[in-house]
DNA sequence: GTGAAAGCGCTAACAA
DNA sequence: TTGTTAGCGCTTTCAC
């Protein structure tokens, strides 16, 4: 193995306790002794073994991240931001996704029960309530990401889907559209639910009645967007604008429009949600809602660390909604400033 | 803390050693005792503390993954596959990217020096040789992903960029194209180098001379693809086909073609490399090379675990190239079977 | 200001 | 087949 604290102590002519105190900056150490120890430690490039350290301190300096089975593009950003923030705080990141053979609970237990992490960040868009009960019992702090508003007894950081959806639909209303359709996200997905709520609120706030025929089901896939538009544009009551609850579905709608010779936004305006990379490449560029995923990750880590350190009471519920801003493309009918690509 | 081995031992009326042996399946234990212990352990939902376990065994059951600063879409697949494979083997995954404030070496030392992981998987497309020297000195096994062929003294799993590029260029040649241009990847990136080599080899294998004017520099960005096509199509010696060294650049080329009213593949055929999700959405669908990223991750994990267990000698170099297959779209001139989308 | 010593929870060598 | 015991490398009282 590497050089250990005993070695350093011997070389410095002190006890291991003194070395430990010095390196941890706790307890009194004479300045001269301190210097000598630091010096020697550096010289031998000594790094305390975190495993042993963890055993003794009951802390691992590691946070766990649990992602859903289906990961899309922006989980990459999420991981990136979490990693970045953790690094700043000298923490490590353990990743696990709840895929195929493994469900969220199992993954959590694996992490928690085993004392491998000091806390967990859990992407929770599709968490069911039975799981939540379990989560609440956890001895280690958990921060939820995009948790349903039902879950009010825990800590969560969330994209404000409601506000974002409302904003983009109001933008459409501002364009003069009155027959605004929505292609919804999957049932039981809280992001989807909130986006739908934002849609209905925006309409009612402007005195526009909800029309059943303009509300179609979807599941966040390209296909759903494709068939959604097909269906909407083939019925007597055609929409003049379509709010796809995510960009993938908007993309499907684009495809459908193209294959049906429907022009965007002339024949129908389209907007999305997520601001995925792809949305920038569509012609016209998709008007969508930007999801502050990077900020979400950073905030989650920072808060989790405070829970771990006891700086905030881990038992105290907290919820934060991050504002999601509208990105104007040409698909809503705006004169398009962000022409094409990123050239 | 949780229940510990001592408790279980007490409840079972045996020593902790017997419990340990039972739970680890090593050493002899009378069947009856074994059953009783298992039973009690289950009853109390006892899980050995991996930190303590690791301290004693000098093993953490954790593998580290180091990603480059710039992560694109397929790192998500990579992470997914690594995670999946690690899970099968009851291992944990620690992720770190070498971003902004932190370089690869620092990240590695953090992982290795600190005994947090038993081994590391390192994405190495742009590793410089000084780092390699350092890597070789590592006490813990390292598996490189997409390492340069220069690096022959280590273990690596690689996409066969050379073969993939050669295959797709030969496909173009099969279409009858003779003026095949390439938009290259960034200097010093080994993937880029190999793809270029595949290109030149394919041409020379078919007795086609290299034309300097048909070789343009690039850096894997959309912009590079855009300007690459612009430049190629505006010179006297126009290509009849362009091999963009990755899909992003192919995408840029599509854009450029569109804005210049150049038709693909009528005026010029275009192919890419990577098979990113986006390539499926282009019209015509991009002919490209599929990168077996999932397989890459799985194999890397499996091999790393064998190095860790001593099943293979960690000091023994090993290199494997995974075949990259051509995906036919319409952009090369093939009658397009994979029409549109994924509908 | 410093050191001795008792853990942290577990594994493994050795003894019984 | 089982138990005793000595660590693993570090932190943390508690004396000195």
């Amino acid at each position: 193995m590497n050089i250990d604290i005993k070695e350093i102590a011997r070389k410095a002519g002190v006890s291991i306790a003194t070395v430990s105190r010095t390196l941890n900056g706790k307890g009194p150490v004479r300045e001269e002794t301190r210097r000598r120890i630091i010096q020697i430690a550096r010289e031998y490039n000594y790094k305390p073994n975190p495993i042993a350290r963890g055993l003794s301190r009951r802390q691992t300096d590691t946070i766990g991240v649990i992602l859903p089975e289906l990961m899309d593009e922006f989980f990459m950003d999420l991981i990136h931001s979490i990693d970045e923030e953790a690094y700043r705080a000298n923490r490590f990141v353990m990743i696990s996704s709840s895929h195929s053979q493994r469900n969220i609970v199992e993954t959590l237990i694996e992490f928690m029960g085993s004392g491998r992490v000091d806390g967990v960040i859990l992407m929770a868009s599709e968490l069911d309530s039975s799981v939540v009960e379990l989560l609440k019992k956890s001895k280690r702090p958990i921060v939820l990401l995009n948790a349903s508003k039902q879950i009010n007894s825990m800590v969560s950081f969330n994209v404000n889907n409601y506000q974002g959806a409302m904003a983009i639909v109001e933008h459409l209303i501002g364009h003069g559209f009155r027959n605004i359709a929505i292609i919804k996200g999957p049932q039981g997905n809280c992001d989807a639910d909130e986006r739908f709520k934002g849609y209905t609120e925006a309409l009612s706030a402007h005195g526009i009645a909800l029309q059943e025929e303009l509300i179609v089901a979807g599941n966040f896939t390209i296909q759903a967007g494709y068939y959604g538009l097909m269906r909407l544009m083939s019925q007597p009551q055609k929409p003049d604008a379509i709010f796809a609850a995510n960009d993938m579905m908007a993309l499907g709608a684009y495809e459908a429009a193209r294959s049906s010779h429907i022009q965007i936004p002339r024949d129908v305006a389209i907007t999305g949600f997520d601001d995925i990379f792809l949305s920038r490449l569509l012609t016209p560029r998709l008007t969508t809602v930007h999801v502050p995923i990077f900020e979400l990750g950073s905030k989650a880590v920072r808060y989790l660390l405070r829970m771990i350190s006891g700086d905030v009471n881990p038992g105290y519920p907290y919820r934060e909604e991050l504002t999601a801003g509208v990105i104007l493309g040409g698909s809503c009918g705006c004169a398009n400033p962000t022409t094409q690509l990123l050239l």
Side-chain angles (χ1 to χ4, degrees), chain A residues 89-102:
Chain A
N90 270 304
R91 295 303 197 287
F92 287 77
V93 177
M94 215 149 214
I95 291 238
S96 192
S97 52
S98 58
H99 44 54
S100 27
Q101 332 171 37
R102 178 170 40 170

Side-chain angles (χ1 to χ4, degrees), chain A residues 165-323:
Chain A
M166 184 139 174
I168 203 163
V169 174
E170 291 201 303
H171 179 77
L172 288 172
I173 295 172
H175 271 288
F177 300 122
R178 288 297 175 273
N179 295 306
I180 302 174
I182 183 172
I183 305 177
K184 295 202 288 181
Q187 283 258 295
N189 178 301
C190 67
D191 293 332
D193 293 346
E194 289 296 313
R195 290 173 194 183
F196 181 62
K197 235 170 82 185
Y199 162 80
T200 58
E201 283 302 313
L203 293 186
S204 84
H206 290 260
I208 302 173
L210 233 58
Q211 302 177 63
E212 277 304 331
E213 323 85 78
L214 296 184
I215 299 171
V216 311
N219 60 3
F220 283 166
T221 64
I222 297 184
Q223 289 82 342
Y226 185 92
Y227 293 116
L229 181 135
M230 286 304 201
R231 176 160 153 216
L232 285 166
M233 297 305 283
S234 62
Q235 58 193 24
Q237 174 59 300
K238 287 190 187 42
D240 42 24
I242 298 175
F243 167 41
N246 78 341
D247 285 358
M248 277 299 178
M249 295 199 297
L251 176 63
Y254 265 65
E255 281 305 314
R258 188 174 57 178
S259 67
S260 311
H261 304 289
I262 292 171
Q263 290 234 350
I264 303 167
R266 198 198 58 192
D267 304 327
V268 64
I270 293 183
T271 63
F273 205 118
D274 281 350
D275 189 29
I276 64 176
F277 174 69
L278 236 151
S279 69
R280 262 164 267 183
L281 305 174
L282 298 174
T283 314
R285 191 227 192 286
L286 181 65
T287 291
T288 186
V289 180
H290 177 74
V291 167
I293 198 78
F294 219 87
E295 201 185 346
L296 200 70
S298 309
K299 288 209 167 193
V301 172
R302 286 204 293 269
Y303 200 91
L304 180 62
L305 291 179
R306 292 178 63 201
M307 291 167 85
I308 290 170
S309 69
D311 194 5
V312 300
N313 181 343
Y316 194 77
Y318 178 77
R319 183 177 179 94
E320 193 169 326
E321 308 277 340
L322 307 187
T323 303

